[in-house]
Amino acid sequence: MRPLIAGNWKMHGNLREAVRLAEGLREGVDGVDLLVCPPFVHLHPVAVVALGSRVAVGAQDCHAAGKGAHTGDVSAAMVRDTGATHVILGHSERRQNHAETDASVMAKTEAALAAGLIPVVCVGETEAERLAGRAEAVVTEQLAGSIPYGFITAGGIVAYEPVWAIGTGRTPTEEEVAAIHATMRHALVESFGPAARTTRLLYGGSVKPGNAAGIFALEHVDGALVGGASLVAADFLAIARAVPE
Ligand code: PGA
């Protein structure tokens, strides 16, 4: 399966920096799909820069409703209209800061699919949950609660992001990543059938050029969701080049 390296730009940069960063990625990396997820207000200009290149563009969230009195929110169709093709949903920062639950992530994912967007659904345990030996149970429960019917056949993507590894420079061991990814694959195939064998499972949380190759070599790791290191074109491309040929 073709690996995907996705960049989550979070709430960083201004318009000029966003456009420059996208320009720096246009050349792409052979054999790898690239995705960048800028803030809403930079989606359209970045999509224009990415047009005709090997870089896809996605949002970091969308609303579950098609339209309505939702001040400050953005619908999946509005995201699609910018030229974006993907949307990150259920990132732990949204789950924590905006009280998103599995049920709301499921509703947003359904809205994204209905609008023709490819969802990138994030799951992952907190440090306390890992220490309590509950990491696999938490991730399995999140998958069951937030992945709707139709996700697999539409090419939906799952990102495993342990909350304690995001932006901290700490990562699980390669064995721990492999164990969770095997669990996720098993759970998805159990629920959705053999088509889920080709669902891309990304790892996210402090992925850097220096640790990417070891992570990408693991079975059932089909790419990465990268935060901090996606803000520098050279680092993001170096991570993409670490994908084994
Ligand atoms: P990080 O963020 O690479 O800065 O740890 C990953 C993410 O939140 O997607």
Side-chain angles (χ1 to χ4, degrees):
M1 153 181 9
R2 223 175 130 83
L4 172 70
I5 308 301
N8 175 7
W9 293 358
K10 305 193 180 182
M11 198 172 73
H12 290 293
N14 58 32
L15 179 56
R16 178 198 285 232
E17 287 162 344
V19 164
R20 281 225 181 115
L21 185 49
E23 281 169 354
L25 301 174
R26 270 186 58 92
E27 64 188 82
V29 170
D30 283 344
V32 180
D33 289 334
L34 297 181
L35 167 67
V36 295
C37 301
F40 283 131
V41 289
H42 300 158
L43 275 175
H44 181 61
V46 167
V48 170
V49 171
L51 206 65
S53 78
R54 293 190 280 177
V55 181
V57 178
Q60 302 169 16
D61 180 45
C62 71
H63 197 276
K67 62 178 176 182
H70 302 291
T71 303
D73 282 313
V74 174
S75 74
M78 289 169 181
V79 169
R80 188 75 190 85
D81 203 27
T82 66
T85 49
H86 292 65
V87 58
I88 297 172
L89 293 168
H91 189 281
S92 65
E93 286 152 17
R94 304 271 336 158
R95 290 181 189 256
Q96 277 174 351
N97 304 341
H98 298 270
E100 293 194 5
T101 62
D102 288 344
S104 63
V105 175
M106 168 92 84
K108 288 175 177 214
T109 306
E110 282 170 345
L113 291 171
L117 290 172
I118 298 176
V120 181
V121 170
C122 302
V123 296
E125 82 284 358
T126 62
E127 184 153 37
E129 288 164 342
R130 175 156 287 275
L131 292 173
R134 296 194 55 240
E136 295 187 22
V138 167
V139 166
T140 308
E141 195 183 305
Q142 287 176 332
L143 283 181
S146 47
I147 304 288
Y149 189 75
F151 177 90
I152 302 291
T153 47
I157 297 161
V158 174
Y160 167 55
E161 297 208 308
V163 177
W164 53 275
I166 295 174
T168 60
R170 296 162 59 209
T171 58
T173 64
E174 289 173 5
E175 291 71 27
E176 287 166 340
V177 174
I180 296 281
H181 278 242
T183 298
M184 294 199 299
R185 180 75 70 204
H186 180 76
L188 291 172
V189 171
E190 283 275 290
S191 303
F192 299 103
R197 293 208 183 98
T198 58
T199 296
R200 290 201 275 203
L201 306 181
L202 312 183
Y203 168 77
S206 296
V207 176
K208 309 281 176 218
N211 63 15
I215 294 169
F216 296 154
L218 301 171
E219 198 182 358
H220 302 304
V221 174
D222 311 306
L225 180 53
V226 185
S230 72
L231 296 171
V232 177
D235 287 349
F236 191 61
L237 292 172
I239 289 169
R241 289 194 194 101
V243 170
E245 304 239 322

